[in-house]
Amino acid sequence: RGVRTSESCDILIKVDREGDVAIFHQPVGVDNEEEKIRTYLQSISPNFFRVAWSKNGQFPSPANGCGNGVCEDIGDVCICQINVVEDAVFTSLRQIPTSVEEIMQILFIGSPTLEIYDDGEYAAPIIHGEIKIYRRVGSESIDENTIIGLRFHGQIKYYKNIRSTVYVGTNKDYSFRNTPHFINFIDNYAISGDYEN
């Protein structure tokens, strides 16, 4: 059984020696962790997953003093505060590649089909090489609301012009792309791992 609280609840990560990450919650003022926090979100959670660390794959680990003190060293893992930042990948038309292959190596967050939005919410697309760029009506800029459409293996795909980055601590030397996570924390059956790959 979990508990509801009006106090803040920090989301922390622990990083193991291989750079894999597990998410856990640390509610303020909750004394008995085992009874009040669901097992899969406790600091003892075994639900580690792989992430793509930035800057040549460097990450805080016990071997480097948990990033020279960026995180807390508790033996085999580092406990780290995080900050998630979402921003636009492209901010001008000149920055956007014209080929499907290049776009798919840069954008990772899908967008719903444009039919889901209200009529008139998005303007007619700008044709840019092999891709289409959709901006909100009234917007002359390329921003986080911009949607990129493309055809890949005969299917139309849409991507948000967003990058989601997880920064570790206040030190921007350690970060990773905020990856999709399909493994169910409650029932982490082996088949769930197939969706991760």
Side-chain angles (χ1 to χ4, degrees), residues 5 14 22 38 40 46 50 60 65 68 70 80-81 94 105 119-120 127 134 137-138 161 176 183 190 192:
T5 177
K14 58 184 181 177
R38 296 185 188 263
Y40 51 90
R50 191 167 292 129
N68 296 319
V70 170
C80 309
Q81 301 262 342
R94 288 189 318 273
Q105 291 176 9
D119 286 341
I127 307 301
Y134 298 88
V137 168
N161 181 36
F176 57 89
I183 292 178
S192 298

Side-chain angles (χ1 to χ4, degrees), residues 42-161:
Q42 290 179 12
S43 61
I44 59 170
S45 169
N47 294 317
F48 283 89
F49 55 94
R50 191 167 292 129
V51 298
W53 288 95
S54 305
K55 298 190 180 179
N56 299 321
Q58 296 176 20
F59 57 89
S61 74
N64 65 17
C66 286
N68 296 319
V70 170
C71 302
E72 181 184 353
D73 187 341
I74 62 164
D76 288 341
V77 296
C78 298
I79 303 295
C80 309
Q81 301 262 342
I82 60 168
N83 183 28
V84 179
V85 176
E86 291 186 349
D87 59 347
V89 176
F90 306 112
T91 56
S92 73
L93 191 59
R94 288 189 318 273
Q95 294 176 323
I96 302 175
T98 58
S99 78
V100 168
E101 289 77 19
E102 287 180 89
I103 287 289
M104 292 186 71
Q105 291 176 9
I106 298 169
L107 297 180
F108 299 103
I109 300 176
S111 171
T113 178
L114 288 171
E115 286 79 26
I116 202 167
Y117 296 101
D118 293 335
D119 286 341
E121 191 167 346
Y122 277 86
I126 298 169
I127 307 301
H128 188 66
E130 299 175 340
I131 65 169
K132 294 180 179 180
I133 301 167
Y134 298 88
R135 296 183 299 191
R136 287 224 167 141
V137 168
S139 174
E140 294 299 319
S141 62
I142 304 294
D143 59 21
E144 66 278 356
N145 295 310
T146 302
I147 296 174
I148 309 286
L150 55 85
R151 183 177 293 277
F152 184 72
H153 292 298
Q155 292 185 330
I156 303 295
K157 296 187 177 281
Y158 297 98
Y159 292 90
K160 293 181 177 185
N161 181 36

Side-chain angles (χ1 to χ4, degrees), residues 2-3 5 7-14 21-34 36-47 49 79-82 181 185:
V3 65
T5 177
E7 299 293 332
S8 66
C9 182
D10 291 336
I11 298 175
L12 305 170
I13 61 170
K14 58 184 181 177
V21 168
I23 300 169
F24 70 96
H25 293 251
Q26 189 64 56
V28 172
V30 174
D31 297 324
N32 190 342
E33 182 174 284
E34 286 72 24
K36 308 251 179 162
I37 302 173
R38 296 185 188 263
T39 305
Y40 51 90
L41 292 174
Q42 290 179 12
S43 61
I44 59 170
S45 169
N47 294 317
F49 55 94
I79 303 295
C80 309
Q81 301 262 342
I82 60 168
H181 195 268
F185 284 123

